[in-house]
Amino acid sequence: MRIAYFAHVRSGSWSGVYHKIESQVEQWRLRGHDVRVFLATGEDVEDWQRNLGVAIVLGYDGAVSRQMVMTRLVLELRRYAPELLYWRFSMIHPPMLALPRQVMTVSEGNSDDTHEYASRGALRSNYNLRTRGFAFGRADAMVF
């Protein structure tokens, strides 16, 4: 099976998040699946790329470049044409909106996103509340 692991990560390749992604990808590969990671980060791109194997890791340095990175990741993901999209939940960016309708999707929640984004201000909190259903509401399955 062709699996795309899609994530927006705000920590480095030294983090627990990195080890979780690496472990999950390794388990799928051991079971014979073709796995590719599509990752956006504001951290060390080379570290992530070197350690994840077959991955498209793009870095950004602000809101505008983050949108450009998300657009490119979605285009690359579509080109890969996965049978399954494993989506590590993060705030929805417009290029991501159609993904759950185009491929079978598993959404992974790792925190109380409503609380997390509320702590970052009213604008982010409101945006998250209005858009989170695109990831969770349209998913074929969810993992917490």
Side-chain angles (χ1 to χ4, degrees):
M1 178 181 283
R2 293 168 62 90
I3 301 172
Y5 193 123
F6 189 87
H8 174 210
V9 180
R10 294 174 18 163
S11 58
S13 64
W14 44 263
S15 68
V17 171
Y18 165 77
H19 293 291
K20 183 177 183 300
I21 292 171
E22 179 187 46
S23 175
Q24 182 65 58
V25 168
E26 181 182 347
Q27 289 303 310
W28 284 328
R29 287 183 178 146
L30 287 172
R31 286 160 178 75
H33 300 291
D34 176 16
V35 183
R36 203 165 286 173
V37 178
F38 298 84
L39 185 107
T41 185
E43 298 296 326
D44 188 353
V45 171
E46 289 78 23
D47 244 10
W48 278 97
Q49 181 73 46
R50 180 177 50 256
N51 293 321
L52 284 176
V54 181
I56 297 174
V57 181
L58 301 175
Y60 62 85
D61 60 7
V64 173
S65 66
R66 184 173 54 233
Q67 290 302 321
M68 291 169 44
V69 160
M70 289 299 184
T71 299
R72 183 162 167 222
L73 282 178
V74 169
L75 290 172
E76 293 291 340
L77 190 145
R78 286 185 181 141
R79 195 171 293 132
Y80 175 59
E83 297 167 85
L84 175 73
L85 168 62
Y86 189 87
W87 183 343
R88 180 181 172 85
F89 180 76
S90 65
M91 188 175 289
I92 305 298
H93 297 275
M96 301 159 61
L97 292 173
L99 287 177
R101 289 191 171 159
Q102 296 171 344
V103 63
M104 185 171 43
T105 301
V106 175
S107 288
E108 176 188 308
N110 288 288
S111 66
D112 178 352
D113 62 291
T114 57
H115 177 73
E116 181 180 337
Y117 288 113
S119 70
R120 296 184 190 168
L123 184 61
R124 283 184 188 223
S125 177
N126 189 38
Y127 182 81
N128 181 59
L129 290 171
R130 292 179 183 270
T131 61
R132 67 194 298 270
F134 288 103
F136 292 127
R138 295 181 182 172
D140 295 291
M142 292 187 283
V143 175
F144 295 93

